[in-house]
Structure formats: C-alpha cells, structure tokens
Amino acid sequence: MKKVAVLYIATGKYVRLWPGFLESAEKYLLKSCEVEYFVFTDVDHLAEEEDNPRIHRIFQEPMPWPYTTLLRFEIFLKAEEQLKAFDYIYFFNANCEFKQPITEEMLLPRPEKHEHMVFVLHPAFYWRYNYEFTYDRNPRCKAYIPMGLGRDYVCGGINGGDRDAYLKFCHTLQKRIRQDKDRGIIALWHDESHINWYAFTHPHYRLLDASFCFFPGWDTVKPCYIYIRPKEEYFDVDAFKRDPPKTQLSPKVEKYNEFMLKAARKIQRHMPWLPRRKRE
Ligand code: UDP
C-alpha cells in the first residue's frame, strides 16, 4: 500500500477549517493508500487527534500575514525526517474540502510519463493568455518570470509529488524565498509566485485541471473534486490580511513591465492562433 503524507498548515484562525478538511479527506482522499496528516499548528489540540493515530500535530508559531504561507517550505522541512518514510507528499490549503472520491490514478504523478510533481491549474487563469498571468514581474525577485513566457498559471494551494521530488521542491523554494526575504523582497503572490517559477523551470509535471481547485464564483469548471471553501465564512479575512508587506518596484521596472505588457498584448492580438486553453 502506498504511503502518502498530507501537509496541512493551520495557525491562528485557520484551525477552524481543520474539521471539515479532515472529514472530507477521510471520506474521499486516496482511499487505497495509507494517508497520514502532518498538521503544523499553534493549538494544543486538534479535532480527532486522540482517535486517529494518523494525525501528527507539529507545533508552529503563528506569524503575521503572509509569512506563514510564504515560509511554508521551511515549516514543512521541520518534519523532513518523518516525511522520508512516505512514498508521496501532498500539500493542501486549509480551506480545501474534498467533494468526490479522488483516486491514485487521478492524483499521483505518472512515472511512465516521467512525471514526479503535480500542480493544479488556477481556476481564475487557465483560459487566459500568459501575459495576463500574475507571475512575479520583478527581475530582482527569485520568482520572476519574464513577460511572454510561461505555459501554465498554477495555484499555490494544492500540489504534491513523489517524496524525493517534493522534498527537492521544498529545499529549492525554501532557499530562494529566504534569499528574497534577506534582501527585503516578497514575491507578488508569496509562495504561489515561487511555485509558478518552479513549475516554469521544471516543466515535466502532471497538470491537473481546475476542478481540483474549485473556487465558488469561478464555477464554470466541472466537475468539482476539491472545493475551496470561502475563508470569509470562518473568520474576518480582510482584517487579518490588512496592509501586508510588499516589495515596491522601481519606476524603471514599472515602465519596462508596462512596455512589455503592451508588446505581449499586441503580439497575441496579431497571432490569435497562439496556444491558449479554452474556458469550459
Ligand atoms: N495559513 C495559516 N495561518 C495563517 C496564514 C496562512 O495557517 O496565518 C496557511 C493556511 O493553510 C492557508 C495557507 O496558509 O490555507 C494559505 O493562506 P491563504 O489561504 O490565506 O492564502 P490565499 O487563499 O489567499 O492564497
């Protein structure tokens, strides 16, 4: 039986999302595998932990927005030795809820196709031209992707892979995010920008469609396998995320980006046959 480690972060008010996540995972997630949960949290008790030996609670100090999500790879690597005992490692955002059975065939990388990592298309971007993707556009940032490049815009909230590939991904991004942080740089969409850089530079991954990251309001995607619960129903997200630290782009970079955006738009307009996914 394959062993799968699920990584889950729930500090502060995010812990309110845990019971719904666990209940749906136990019902639908990889039922043919042995799934264990590594929960990084600041609470001293998690729902079901005394009855379910597959729940491992690891203490994680809460941090102001966006550091818990941005520094997630450092957080995961605290459990690296334990994670080495698993065949696969997957991360899910706290507000994920599984809605239908998710099998090995649906979720795991396919070695016969040389896949080791798995990413999910972001439901708000998959049909757009790549110049519209909100990649980080600051050349000084380690998540930078130049305008006009990039095939997919993947979501930060769901990803996974085989153990070795996933641990390599964590080490690489942990180092790059730390290098940014030491220079006062925060990527535009935090971990998601870095994950997109990784996907861009390591393109042989399994790409799942946006039905594995189903946002209410972007529900043209069918069916819904993983539902992203609105966090607003659990706590005041705006108050929590007010005035986050951001990197300011220099006027020169702003100007360059504006110029490149215009150029990319023009090119795409004159070449409508350029590849773009259809919105379902
Ligand atoms: N998170 C957390 N505590 C925090 C902030 C974030 O536990 O104070 C975790 C949680 O797992 C969450 C993930 O980081 O799902 C990403 O944050 P969030 O979902 O708010 O990001 P967004 O949905 O805006 O991408």
Side-chain angles (χ1 to χ4, degrees):
M1 200 186 240
K2 293 177 180 128
K3 281 172 68 95
V4 181
V6 164
L7 305 175
Y8 188 88
I9 309 179
T11 63
K13 297 191 167 58
Y14 283 78
V15 79
R16 296 178 189 171
L17 294 150
W18 164 249
F21 174 83
L22 178 69
E23 192 185 324
S24 68
E26 288 288 275
K27 196 163 168 195
Y28 292 129
L29 181 64
L30 297 170
K31 294 305 288 176
S32 59
C33 303
E34 196 180 317
V35 175
E36 299 200 15
Y37 306 90
F38 290 80
V39 186
F40 301 88
T41 183
D42 53 329
V43 294
D44 53 17
H45 177 263
L46 284 169
E48 301 292 326
E49 71 172 22
E50 56 281 316
D51 300 325
N52 186 339
R54 291 176 291 105
I55 298 173
H56 310 287
R57 179 165 45 81
I58 299 166
F59 182 76
Q60 175 57 46
E61 195 77 50
M63 291 183 268
W65 178 257
Y67 295 107
T68 305
T69 189
L70 178 67
L71 301 179
R72 62 171 65 174
F73 301 104
E74 291 186 14
I75 295 175
F76 300 154
L77 288 170
K78 287 186 196 168
E80 183 172 12
E81 284 314 306
Q82 287 155 279
L83 295 174
K84 282 182 181 164
F86 291 80
D87 302 306
Y88 298 93
I89 305 173
Y90 277 77
F91 167 78
F92 296 100
N93 252 10
N95 52 342
C96 289
E97 185 181 321
F98 304 97
K99 288 291 194 188
Q100 302 195 39
I102 297 182
T103 63
E104 290 182 37
E105 293 68 32
M106 290 160 74
L107 194 67
L108 300 184
R110 297 162 296 190
E112 68 281 7
K113 298 198 175 186
H114 309 288
E115 295 165 347
H116 297 283
M117 289 292 296
V118 178
F119 296 112
V120 178
L121 280 173
H122 194 298
F125 290 98
Y126 68 87
W127 75 94
R128 295 183 192 270
Y129 286 121
N130 64 4
Y131 65 80
E132 297 176 293
F133 294 170
T134 54
Y135 291 149
D136 191 283
R137 304 298 189 185
N138 172 11
R140 294 189 68 235
C141 177
K142 290 281 180 190
Y144 171 66
I145 298 179
M147 200 70 78
L149 299 184
R151 185 189 62 192
D152 309 314
Y153 190 88
V154 300
C155 73
I158 300 153
N159 48 65
D162 65 48
R163 177 201 49 229
D164 293 343
Y166 200 85
L167 289 175
K168 179 180 159 217
F169 162 72
C170 290
H171 276 282
T172 305
L173 292 191
Q174 175 252 326
K175 202 164 128 205
R176 296 177 69 87
I177 292 169
R178 189 43 69 182
Q179 284 168 337
D180 268 0
K181 192 163 179 288
D182 290 346
R183 296 193 300 153
I185 295 174
I186 293 185
L188 180 64
W189 289 110
H190 320 121
D191 50 283
E192 185 167 277
S193 302
H194 287 276
I195 292 167
N196 272 285
W197 174 86
Y198 197 88
F200 171 61
T201 51
H202 302 74
H204 297 293
Y205 47 84
R206 178 169 191 180
L207 183 64
L208 301 180
D209 71 45
S211 48
F212 287 83
C213 181
F214 186 103
F215 280 19
W218 294 94
D219 37 19
T220 49
V221 199
K222 299 270 173 354
C224 165
Y225 294 120
I226 303 179
Y227 178 68
I228 307 299
R229 289 173 285 164
K231 294 188 288 286
E232 301 70 26
E233 291 174 10
Y234 294 80
F235 59 91
D236 185 347
V237 181
D238 290 341
F240 175 67
K241 294 189 178 179
R242 190 164 296 141
D243 300 328
K246 281 196 179 112
T247 325
Q248 297 298 318
L249 297 189
S250 68
K252 211 167 132 194
V253 170
E254 289 274 20
K255 232 174 167 169
Y256 174 78
N257 285 348
E258 255 167 54
F259 170 76
M260 290 305 285
L261 181 63
K262 273 192 201 139
R265 260 195 206 126
K266 212 165 190 169
I267 291 167
Q268 302 276 17
R269 214 174 297 135
H270 292 298
M271 301 181 187
W273 61 87
L274 282 175
R276 191 167 69 140
R277 286 189 181 84
K278 282 208 167 54
R279 191 172 181 177
E280 275 126 73

